[in-house]
Amino acid sequence: MRIPLVIGNWKMNGTLVEARALATAVRDGLKRPRGTEVVLCPPFTALAAVSEIVAGTPIGLGAQNCHAEASGAHTGEVAPPMLVELGCRLVLLGHSERRKELGETDDQINRKVAGVLAHGLTPVLCVGESGEERRQGLTFTTVEGQLRAGLAGLDGASIARTVLAYEPVWAIGTGVNATPAQAAEVHGYVRGLVSELTSKEIAQTVRIVYGGSVKADNADALMGEADIDGALVGGASLNASGFIAIVRKAARGAASRGE
Ligand code: PEP
């Protein structure tokens, strides 16, 4: 059984005042989220404040990135133990905005995945093809390359602790989501690849979430697909009621599939 996971990626949005208000509204609107794990990923500057707001509730805290190493001369970076101290349970890694804007490489991302796991955090490894790659029929090639590189050197137990996020780059922040059939096709492919890298049993336990313009009005159809285990939500997570609606739809989707 895979419990759906809905992650709110606030990106570079939210002063402390705004972050406190949003986290409080999500917390109060989701007193007892049933059948879904919910994690908020505010900017680093708001992690401590949001941590206090969600403390003692089922809502988890996550970070949008971190360094692979535990400490050292890396100006401007944040290390996994610092995130643990703040109460984070999960870290987004390899988001396409970081790959594109900052040139993050598969190798760097792979080291971050290992670094995060070493500190008991859950990495969320983001993969996905660009619009051009999809047009050229390279979707599976791109996703496979990013996954193999991102998970390189990890044993089955470590991969079992990792969450995978399929985020087609052309769908992120564009308002154009992958259709449920497009997303399901890639999710099925990803699960097959995880099976090849580990075992059929482990592949059945790994959560693969979809990200890319998920909103309350498309969540039902996406979350109804068998291999879609939740959502990584960007823009729509900045609105508490819209985000809460997505969480409820993810729970309903899983329930309707008998999970
Ligand atoms: C994201 O931030 O990972 C994302 C999918 O953004 P959006 O929902 O805005 O497309």
Side-chain angles (χ1 to χ4, degrees), residues 9 11 95 97 167 171-175 211-214 232-236:
N9 175 17
K11 310 196 189 198
H95 193 285
E97 286 158 8
E167 297 211 298
I172 297 180
T174 59
S213 296
V214 175
L232 176 47
V233 188

